[in-house]
Amino acid sequence: MKKLHFHSEMHLTFSSPVWDHHYRFRCIPMEDGIQKTVRADYQILPGNCRNLVSDGLGSQAFCGSIQEPHSSLTLITDGEVEIDLRERRKEELHPIYRHPSAYTQPDEGIKKLTRRLLTEYEAAGFNSGKKDRAMVQFFMDQLSQLFFYVPGVTNIRTTAAEALRGGKGVCQDYAHILIAVCRLAGIPARYVAGMMVGEGASHAWTEVYLDGMWIGADPTHARMTDESYIKLSHGRDYEDCTIDKGCFKGCAFQTQQIQVKVEEIS
C-alpha cells in the first residue's frame, strides 16, 4: 500500500474575454476499492462555483458556469490518496469494453499489427489462446519498438489508426493503440486518465480485463501499473475521460496548460 500526495494546476487562457462559460472538470480521484481519497481540496477560479456530478462510468466531475466576461480559468487540486492493489476484486464486465469505440476503431493497419503480434507471440512459445498478463506485456514490449513518444505530432482528436500510421505520439495514442489491439485479440480493455508519481503533465494508460478483474497496463512505459498511479476516470477511450470539457460565448481561442506533481508520502 502506498500513500501519495498530488497537486495539479490547469490553466485555461482565452485570446479575448468569454462569457456564459459552462464547464466540467473531471479531476477527482476515483473511489474504486483500490483507491481511497484521504484528503482533497479543489479551487476553481474565478468564482469557485461548482456542483459535483457523477457519470455512468463511475467517475465524478465538477460542473459550473461563469456568466461574467473573463480571460482565464484555473483549476487547482491538492490532496492525498491511499492505493492498495491487494484490494483489487473481481467485478462484472460491461460489454462496451469488448467493442471498438470512436478513437479505437481498427483499420487494416491495426488489424495487420494484431495478427502479426499474435503470430510472433505463438512463435515465442506462448499460447495465444490464453489471455493473460504475459500477452499484454508482450504487446507493450513490441509496441515500444515500433511506436515512439514524440509530443506535438498528434492531438486530442487523433485516433489509434492515425497515430499508428504516423509511428509517433504521446500517452493518449499509446493507450488507444493498445486498447484497439487488445480488443481485437479478445481482451476487453478500457482507457484510463490520471496521474503518476513524478512531475509534468497528466497521464493516460490502459486497463485490461483478465480473470474477472481490471489490471492496469501502461504502454507508454511498457509496464503493468503499480501503486504509483492515481486514476481519475476510465471509459471506452479519451472522449469518456476528458479532464476539461465545456462551451462558452465569445470569439476566442483557448489554450490549456496542465502541471502535475505526485509524490509518495513516507
Side-chain angles (χ1 to χ4, degrees):
M1 190 267 284
K2 284 186 179 181
K3 189 174 183 179
L4 304 178
H5 170 257
F6 66 90
H7 182 90
S8 71
E9 297 186 12
M10 180 175 68
H11 302 283
L12 304 180
T13 305
F14 306 97
S15 58
S16 61
V18 300
W19 63 95
D20 194 17
H21 184 179
H22 299 265
Y23 59 81
R24 183 190 67 196
F25 293 145
R26 194 182 275 109
C27 59
I28 303 171
M30 292 188 76
E31 297 278 347
D32 60 357
I34 296 173
Q35 238 176 221
K36 176 184 177 183
T37 301
V38 178
R39 176 186 65 81
D41 299 307
Y42 305 94
Q43 283 185 289
I44 301 173
L45 305 169
N48 208 28
C49 173
R50 62 186 192 227
N51 297 301
L52 185 62
V53 300
S54 300
D55 66 22
L57 297 173
S59 64
Q60 292 183 307
F62 287 123
C63 290
S65 63
I66 303 174
Q67 300 303 314
E68 299 78 14
H70 55 285
S71 297
S72 65
L73 181 59
T74 296
L75 166 69
I76 301 173
T77 70
D78 190 273
E80 298 171 3
V81 297
E82 290 180 348
I83 302 174
D84 191 347
L85 295 183
R86 296 171 299 180
E87 296 299 318
R88 183 183 284 127
R89 297 291 183 267
K90 290 189 176 184
E91 58 183 278
E92 186 176 351
L93 172 68
H94 196 296
I96 61 172
Y97 299 121
R98 293 186 182 276
H99 307 293
S101 56
Y103 288 87
T104 63
Q105 184 71 39
D107 66 349
E108 187 53 40
I110 288 181
K111 292 177 182 177
K112 182 178 179 181
L113 172 62
T114 305
R115 291 193 296 267
R116 176 188 134 194
L117 291 178
L118 290 174
T119 299
E120 292 178 353
Y121 189 68
E122 287 187 343
F126 295 99
N127 177 9
S128 62
K130 184 179 181 181
K131 315 303 180 183
D132 57 13
R133 293 187 188 212
M135 176 177 285
V136 177
Q137 185 63 58
F138 182 83
F139 289 167
M140 291 193 291
D141 290 341
Q142 299 305 306
L143 181 59
S144 68
Q145 297 180 34
L146 57 91
F147 192 80
F148 302 97
Y149 190 94
V150 179
V153 297
T154 57
N155 58 59
I156 59 172
R157 299 301 174 193
T158 302
T159 66
E162 292 167 340
L164 182 62
R165 283 198 296 271
K168 302 172 184 177
V170 292
C171 58
Q172 174 179 318
D173 305 303
Y174 277 92
H176 281 155
I177 295 171
L178 182 61
I179 290 169
V181 168
C182 283
R183 288 175 181 167
L184 279 177
I187 301 174
R190 65 189 182 189
Y191 185 96
V192 180
M195 304 173 280
M196 63 179 296
V197 168
E199 202 166 345
S202 54
H203 193 43
W205 61 94
T206 301
E207 285 184 335
V208 291
Y209 189 76
L210 299 170
D211 297 324
M213 295 185 290
W214 286 104
I215 310 295
D218 182 358
T220 305
H221 298 98
R223 69 188 187 198
M224 309 306 287
T225 63
D226 55 21
E227 293 165 339
S228 60
Y229 291 74
I230 300 175
K231 181 200 289 194
L232 298 179
S233 59
H234 61 231
R236 294 164 295 181
D237 53 32
Y238 165 80
E239 186 64 29
D240 289 335
C241 301
T242 50
I243 295 176
D244 162 39
K245 198 167 188 177
C247 61
F248 54 78
K249 292 181 180 178
C251 184
F253 294 104
Q254 174 184 301
T255 57
Q256 179 194 75
Q257 289 183 317
I258 298 179
Q259 186 67 28
V260 174
K261 183 177 183 179
V262 179
E263 55 189 349
E264 184 177 355
I265 303 172
S266 59

